[in-house]
Amino acid sequence: MEVGMQGGRLVEPDSKIVSPTLSADEVSHLAVDIGGSLIKLVYSSINHNSGIDDKEKKSSKECSVVPNGSSNYPVICGRLHFAKFETSKINDCVEFILSKQLHRGGSWHHETFGNDKKAIKATGGGAYKFADLFKEKLGVSLDKVDEMDCLVAGSNFLLKEVHPEAFTYIDGREEYVQIDINDLYPYLLVNIGSGVSMIKVDGDGKFERVSGTSVGGGTFWGLGKLLTKCKSFDELLELSHKGNNRVIDMLVGDIYGGTDYTKIGLSSTNIASSFGKAISENKELEDYRPEDISRSLLRMISNNIGQISYLNALRFGLKRIFFGGFFIRGHAYTMDTISVAVNFWSKGEAKAMFLRHEGFLGALGAFRSYESHSFDANMTH
Amino acid sequence: MEVGMQGGRLVEPDSKIVSPTLSADEVSHLAVDIGGSLIKLVYSSINHNSGIDDKEKKSSKECSVVPNGSSNYPVICGRLHFAKFETSKINDCVEFILSKQLHRGGSWHHETFGNDKKAIKATGGGAYKFADLFKEKLGVSLDKVDEMDCLVAGSNFLLKEVHPEAFTYIDGREEYVQIDINDLYPYLLVNIGSGVSMIKVDGDGKFERVSGTSVGGGTFWGLGKLLTKCKSFDELLELSHKGNNRVIDMLVGDIYGGTDYTKIGLSSTNIASSFGKAISENKELEDYRPEDISRSLLRMISNNIGQISYLNALRFGLKRIFFGGFFIRGHAYTMDTISVAVNFWSKGEAKAMFLRHEGFLGALGAFRSYESHSFDANMTH
């Protein structure tokens, strides 16, 4: 998590990276979202000591947020902390939770599960896959919350309660979007994790997963790793900065001898075939720069997701598309490609918007589900 | 071209491979479609000597077709021949044309271009890019015909005049589709070449290119070549037969610990993230079997095209989607994946259909444009 908010104001990334050493009673809740590639943690504290622990910074990045309008969300009255780990390094995550005693924060709802059991809210497929591991290593149960429920709850929470949260990215400029709570729905939520989910959101808890695609963050990372030998997603993303996709992509001009194909609205610089140039030359993988490969791959995937998102928004007459998920990582070129794709295919009718806490929608939703329980309980009184 | 028709009857591939040695006056017309990856040739002859020339068989495959209802198409009254070459080996194509004196067949319309000029109908971007090369080596001009016009003309011709041409591919079985000429339009034509064009067809010459994607045949071949060191598209396609995509793709079950995610209709065997498994293991490219890589790649691309096609068909309420282009190559797994994708996303509402002369739509359309001229001329008398 590179950016976050404090008291509703956007603050610079560096000032957000805090690594609080919490005592058990300071942690009120912990929620986890265990996806195919990443584990996302959200936990709250009443007080914290700031300070940067270099060792922990290596394995996770944290930031904190104090949302606006917290009065409606009694649990979220302290400070929220965010952390992420690779799912393949789940033991690091367990160590982190142990070292901070975060799992004690889940006991708030312990009566639901019997007196001798603690449970923490968990979503994502890993809530099923790793339930035994959490039980064994931390002595806690995972109280499973549906993944789509959590994504929507997290997104609605951020859009309604955290300002500024949503922004457009056009011509290299971020522009914050003022969200009118009374005119928020319906919208399309596109969560780009390992795979991609597309959800039509009509209100709190009112939604339908209308589409998705298997070409997502896991594809970028997986194919990118095979093609470039990069060791991490961020390294691969970094590489793409310096790349030139025209070395590998077949452009309209490559086919048309440098001219546009104006009759159907394609300019000579439009990509006709992603990776299409790799077919015709006597070049092997080793002859291409990893930078160029990464750039082509990122553009192919971002453009594809932008296009499928737009087509789904069109089906349901949705003008607003919010993109979340850790694939984006606040990365300028990714956001630019998605924005251009949505603009191109919709002929300017639809707009791509991004969420500042993009990667934590599911974890925030799971965290909020502690709240829903107490909120529902209050409502019934 | 692996299959074709003779007198309206489907005949076996082997019996279709003919390599006629034509004398100039036997060739009535030649049309070329020069794409980013492949050059497609269609030419007609009044008479031909059959016989297989092994040398030529290596560089091109030919077949012949006598369409039904040829009375409406006076030019197409002989035998049609089909051949293809890689665009990067355009000199082989020029040699082929020279050796058979096919370029003399274009002189039919020579008066349009002056007495001392010959011209052949040409479409695809290469009609622009390689115009000088054709002039220099063959002494002919390329009479450029719009690519989309040609695709639509070729498709309409095949669907209306050649039976059986269209078929569905479901559960491993081809089933011919009886086309009712009075109920053909509108339909979506998806031409999968290096890139993909999606065209809403409303009648003869009445169409709109409504969408497309850069993730097409060039992507399969280009990425596949980088990842497997395969030397040809067909070798790569052949490899995919023996592959298992589950080795590399991240399935829903991989994330959910083997269980389905039934609430949103995803089974444990659905692909959550194409190439997603390549991220988490300590494996390099060399540790994966080329067969498995090819299979994952083919499935990713076929599924993606099927999905985007369906979403575009949905926009315009089109129930029939015809797939053409050389990507398909009559390949069972490709057709199966596209069919399943269209069926999955449309919940059984839309149907994928394939065209037997899939790769030659553009070239046939260009060939037909000789006809349109004479037909128009007849009409004006």
Side-chain angles (χ1 to χ4, degrees):
Chain A
M1 197 55 203
E2 292 185 341
V3 288
M5 266 82 54
Q6 212 155 27
R9 285 184 308 110
L10 181 71
V11 292
E12 290 306 305
D14 274 356
S15 66
K16 308 304 310 153
I17 300 167
V18 294
S19 179
T21 310
L22 302 163
S23 66
D25 55 359
E26 285 177 315
V27 178
S28 61
H29 293 89
L30 164 68
V32 296
D33 173 7
I34 313 177
S37 313
L38 294 170
I39 305 174
K40 285 76 68 174
L41 266 58
V42 172
Y43 57 99
S44 59
S45 66
I46 309 300
N47 300 302
H48 78 279
N49 309 316
S50 38
I52 294 169
D53 178 331
D54 278 334
K55 185 163 159 277
E56 279 168 5
K57 257 186 78 184
K58 273 181 203 156
S59 60
S60 75
K61 276 192 172 181
E62 295 179 82
C63 67
S64 57
V65 56
V66 178
N68 293 350
S70 57
S71 58
N72 285 336
Y73 302 91
V75 163
I76 308 173
C77 56
R79 184 174 292 272
L80 285 188
H81 304 271
F82 300 83
K84 72 175 167 75
F85 297 84
E86 289 181 28
T87 305
S88 59
K89 295 172 183 160
I90 193 160
N91 286 330
D92 291 356
C93 174
V94 167
E95 282 300 315
F96 178 82
I97 292 172
L98 262 178
S99 72
K100 295 196 178 297
Q101 298 283 297
L102 300 182
H103 53 306
R104 296 201 182 176
S107 60
W108 192 75
H109 254 213
H110 65 94
E111 67 277 11
T112 318
F113 305 94
N115 288 330
D116 57 345
K117 259 186 166 176
K118 286 181 181 168
I120 54 176
K121 296 287 184 187
T123 190
Y128 296 81
K129 186 173 180 177
F130 297 111
D132 290 347
L133 184 141
F134 271 74
K135 186 77 201 156
E136 185 194 324
K137 301 219 171 174
L138 295 168
V140 294
S141 298
L142 295 184
D143 185 12
K144 298 167 197 74
V145 200
D146 178 74
E147 191 175 336
M148 299 301 130
D149 281 335
C150 286
L151 287 173
V152 172
S155 170
N156 281 348
F157 164 69
L158 288 168
L159 288 170
K160 291 196 290 188
E161 299 294 325
V162 179
H163 305 289
E165 175 67 24
F167 59 97
T168 56
Y169 193 90
I170 295 165
D171 297 331
R173 280 192 316 122
E174 282 183 14
E175 198 164 299
Y176 287 95
V177 178
Q178 195 66 37
I179 300 293
D180 177 358
I181 296 181
N182 300 313
D183 188 30
L184 175 59
Y185 308 112
Y187 68 84
L188 188 73
L189 174 62
V190 179
N191 192 69
I192 316 176
S194 304
V196 184
S197 281
M198 298 178 184
I199 309 166
K200 175 173 169 274
V201 182
D202 291 301
D204 278 331
K206 287 166 66 180
F207 65 88
E208 185 189 357
R209 185 186 189 273
V210 292
S211 200
T213 164
S214 69
V215 183
T219 313
F220 177 61
W221 191 353
L223 267 177
K225 188 167 169 286
L226 295 182
L227 290 164
T228 69
K229 301 192 192 301
C230 264
K231 293 295 176 207
S232 77
F233 189 105
D234 290 318
E235 189 187 335
L236 185 64
L237 208 55
E238 183 65 30
L239 269 185
S240 74
H241 280 279
K242 306 164 221 152
N244 176 6
N245 71 298
R246 298 182 185 192
V247 177
I248 304 175
D249 290 341
M250 185 185 284
L251 308 186
V252 170
D254 292 324
I255 302 176
Y256 271 77
T259 62
D260 298 339
Y261 185 4
T262 39
K263 194 176 168 187
I264 57 169
L266 294 178
S267 84
S268 65
T269 56
N270 281 130
I271 301 174
S273 176
S274 293
F275 287 88
K277 249 183 214 157
I279 69 165
S280 56
E281 297 171 57
N282 290 324
K283 277 179 157 185
E284 306 266 311
L285 178 56
E286 296 68 31
D287 301 318
Y288 289 99
R289 297 196 316 149
E291 291 86 339
D292 300 335
I293 289 174
S294 174
R295 183 94 167 189
S296 289
L297 199 55
L298 185 61
R299 184 133 177 201
M300 176 180 89
I301 294 171
S302 302
N303 191 46
N304 196 253
I305 293 171
Q307 180 181 18
I308 296 176
S309 300
Y310 159 67
L311 286 167
N312 277 292
L314 192 68
R315 278 171 77 180
F316 300 103
L318 311 173
K319 298 255 160 155
R320 279 163 300 199
I321 311 175
F322 293 102
F323 290 87
F326 251 123
F327 172 69
I328 298 170
R329 282 204 189 17
H331 188 253
Y333 188 68
T334 308
M335 295 191 292
D336 190 62
T337 307
I338 290 175
S339 298
V340 167
V342 169
N343 185 64
F344 176 83
W345 291 109
S346 73
K347 292 174 180 147
E349 293 263 309
K351 219 191 272 183
M353 284 178 275
F354 302 92
L355 298 174
R356 199 144 294 280
H357 292 86
E358 54 191 17
F360 291 98
L361 304 187
L364 271 169
F367 189 89
R368 284 273 300 117
S369 71
Y370 286 112
E371 194 55 39
S372 316
H373 281 210
S374 84
F375 195 68
D376 290 348
N378 288 340
M379 292 291 279
T380 57
H381 283 300
Chain B
M1 198 54 204
E2 292 184 341
V3 287
M5 264 87 51
Q6 213 157 22
R9 284 183 309 111
L10 181 70
V11 292
E12 290 306 302
D14 275 353
S15 66
K16 308 306 308 155
I17 299 168
V18 294
S19 179
T21 308
L22 301 163
S23 65
D25 55 359
E26 285 177 317
V27 177
S28 60
H29 293 89
L30 163 69
V32 296
D33 173 7
I34 313 176
S37 314
L38 293 171
I39 305 173
K40 285 76 66 175
L41 266 59
V42 172
Y43 57 98
S44 58
S45 65
I46 309 302
N47 300 302
H48 77 279
N49 310 316
S50 38
I52 294 168
D53 178 330
D54 279 332
K55 186 163 159 276
E56 280 168 5
K57 258 186 78 183
K58 272 181 203 158
S59 61
S60 75
K61 276 193 173 182
E62 295 178 82
C63 65
S64 57
V65 56
V66 178
N68 292 350
S70 57
S71 57
N72 286 334
Y73 302 92
V75 162
I76 307 172
C77 56
R79 184 174 293 272
L80 285 188
H81 305 271
F82 301 84
K84 71 176 167 75
F85 297 84
E86 289 182 28
T87 305
S88 60
K89 295 172 185 161
I90 192 160
N91 286 329
D92 290 356
C93 174
V94 167
E95 283 299 315
F96 178 82
I97 292 172
L98 262 178
S99 73
K100 294 195 178 297
Q101 298 283 297
L102 300 182
H103 53 306
R104 297 202 182 176
S107 60
W108 191 77
H109 252 216
H110 65 96
E111 66 279 10
T112 317
F113 304 95
N115 288 330
D116 57 346
K117 259 184 166 177
K118 286 183 181 165
I120 55 176
K121 297 286 183 187
T123 190
Y128 297 81
K129 187 173 180 177
F130 297 111
D132 290 346
L133 185 140
F134 272 74
K135 185 77 203 155
E136 185 194 324
K137 301 217 170 177
L138 295 169
V140 294
S141 299
L142 295 185
D143 184 12
K144 298 168 195 74
V145 200
D146 178 74
E147 190 175 336
M148 298 301 129
D149 281 335
C150 287
L151 288 173
V152 171
S155 170
N156 281 348
F157 164 68
L158 288 169
L159 288 170
K160 291 196 291 188
E161 298 295 325
V162 180
H163 305 290
E165 175 67 24
F167 60 96
T168 56
Y169 193 90
I170 296 165
D171 297 331
R173 280 192 316 124
E174 282 183 13
E175 198 163 300
Y176 286 96
V177 178
Q178 194 65 38
I179 300 293
D180 176 358
I181 296 180
N182 300 313
D183 188 30
L184 174 60
Y185 309 111
Y187 67 85
L188 188 73
L189 174 63
V190 179
N191 192 68
I192 315 175
S194 303
V196 184
S197 281
M198 297 177 185
I199 309 166
K200 176 175 168 275
V201 182
D202 290 302
D204 277 332
K206 288 167 67 181
F207 65 88
E208 184 188 358
R209 184 188 190 271
V210 292
S211 200
T213 165
S214 69
V215 184
T219 313
F220 177 62
W221 191 353
L223 267 178
K225 187 167 170 284
L226 295 182
L227 289 164
T228 68
K229 301 194 192 301
C230 265
K231 294 293 176 208
S232 77
F233 189 105
D234 290 318
E235 188 187 336
L236 185 64
L237 207 55
E238 183 64 30
L239 269 184
S240 74
H241 279 280
K242 306 164 221 151
N244 176 6
N245 71 300
R246 298 183 185 191
V247 177
I248 304 176
D249 290 341
M250 186 185 282
L251 308 186
V252 169
D254 293 323
I255 303 177
Y256 272 76
T259 62
D260 297 340
Y261 185 3
T262 39
K263 195 177 166 185
I264 57 170
L266 294 178
S267 84
S268 64
T269 55
N270 281 129
I271 300 173
S273 176
S274 293
F275 287 88
K277 250 184 212 155
I279 70 165
S280 57
E281 297 172 54
N282 290 324
K283 277 180 159 183
E284 306 266 312
L285 178 56
E286 295 69 31
D287 301 318
Y288 290 98
R289 295 196 317 149
E291 292 86 339
D292 299 336
I293 290 174
S294 173
R295 184 95 168 185
S296 289
L297 200 55
L298 184 62
R299 183 135 177 197
M300 177 180 89
I301 293 171
S302 302
N303 191 46
N304 197 254
I305 293 171
Q307 181 180 17
I308 296 176
S309 300
Y310 159 68
L311 286 167
N312 276 293
L314 192 68
R315 278 170 76 180
F316 300 103
L318 311 173
K319 300 256 159 151
R320 279 162 300 198
I321 312 175
F322 293 100
F323 290 87
F326 252 122
F327 173 69
I328 298 170
R329 288 222 199 340
H331 187 252
Y333 188 68
T334 307
M335 294 191 292
D336 189 61
T337 307
I338 290 175
S339 298
V340 167
V342 169
N343 185 64
F344 176 83
W345 291 109
S346 73
K347 292 174 179 148
E349 293 263 310
K351 220 191 271 183
M353 283 176 276
F354 303 91
L355 298 175
R356 199 144 293 278
H357 292 86
E358 56 192 16
F360 290 97
L361 304 187
L364 271 169
F367 188 90
R368 285 274 299 118
S369 71
Y370 286 111
E371 193 54 40
S372 316
H373 282 210
S374 85
F375 194 69
D376 290 349
N378 289 340
M379 293 290 279
T380 56
H381 284 298

